[in-house]
Amino acid sequence: MQKIDLISIGKLNASYFAAGVAEYQKRLGAFCEFRIIELPEETKNASQAVIDKALEKEGRAILANLRKGAALVALCVEGKLISSEELAAAIADRAMSGAGDMTFVIGSSHGLAPMVKQAAAMKISLGRITLPHQLARLVLTEQLYRAFAINNHIKYHK
């Protein structure tokens, strides 16, 4: 069974986001082994030097939590805008190659460390709008479920 991880900096504080993510996490269980790894955000408001050090620490923690052999997919502003069908194809292609494991990463409010972006096999963006990180996690888990629905010909995707 394909293993999909979501590494996210920061916790879900709002119960409505947590409920939505939990629902899609439950649904994903039918298609893959899906887990969410929450790592602490190192700083919120600080000088650029402190932010840079925090990003580096977060980056090391992200890379340390990667499943061996998993393709890293970084969500970042400069990432490629992709459709649901393109995400489904990327997941299916990875599964068909025999090395199906994938790890999606959502950074902190300051983004992702350059080392994480450099290690990424793919960089994607959820859109040109800025989303709060908790909402980005909900949108991503829904899109992962949608991708598996597309790949398994389930009527969820219209």
Side-chain angles (χ1 to χ4, degrees):
M1 182 175 270
Q2 192 171 17
K3 296 174 182 164
I4 305 287
D5 292 341
L6 169 55
I7 298 176
S8 184
I9 303 295
K11 295 196 176 289
L12 285 178
N13 297 324
S15 60
Y16 46 90
F17 288 132
V21 169
E23 176 61 27
Y24 289 112
Q25 186 173 14
K26 180 178 80 175
R27 291 181 187 193
L28 280 163
F31 306 110
C32 65
E33 182 183 311
F34 181 70
R35 69 179 180 169
I36 296 173
I37 300 166
E38 289 182 338
L39 300 174
E41 184 169 6
E42 294 300 321
T43 187
K44 295 211 185 250
N45 298 316
S47 69
Q48 190 59 50
V50 172
I51 289 169
D52 291 344
K53 283 186 179 186
L55 283 174
E56 185 176 327
K57 186 173 181 182
E58 290 169 357
R60 284 193 308 272
I62 288 166
L63 295 176
N65 277 279
L66 285 180
R67 197 184 294 264
K68 185 175 175 142
L72 177 60
V73 181
L75 275 74
C76 50
V77 173
E78 66 273 22
K80 180 182 176 189
L81 293 171
I82 63 170
S83 67
S84 298
E85 293 84 0
E86 289 170 316
L87 178 60
I91 291 170
D93 289 348
R94 186 78 183 157
M96 298 281 279
S97 73
D101 298 347
M102 298 177 80
T103 299
F104 292 81
V105 177
I106 299 173
S108 70
S109 60
H110 300 293
L112 288 169
M115 71 177 80
V116 174
K117 293 177 187 181
Q118 289 169 358
M122 185 177 183
K123 291 184 270 192
I124 63 172
S125 173
L126 294 177
R128 291 192 172 124
I129 58 172
T130 301
L131 297 174
H133 291 268
Q134 293 186 59
L135 180 55
R137 191 185 313 187
L138 176 58
V139 170
L140 178 60
T141 54
E142 188 280 335
Q143 284 298 300
L144 289 171
Y145 174 72
R146 182 176 297 274
F148 278 99
I150 290 167
N151 289 342
N152 288 278
H153 311 289
I154 294 172
K155 291 187 180 192
Y156 178 82
H157 179 70
K158 295 178 173 73

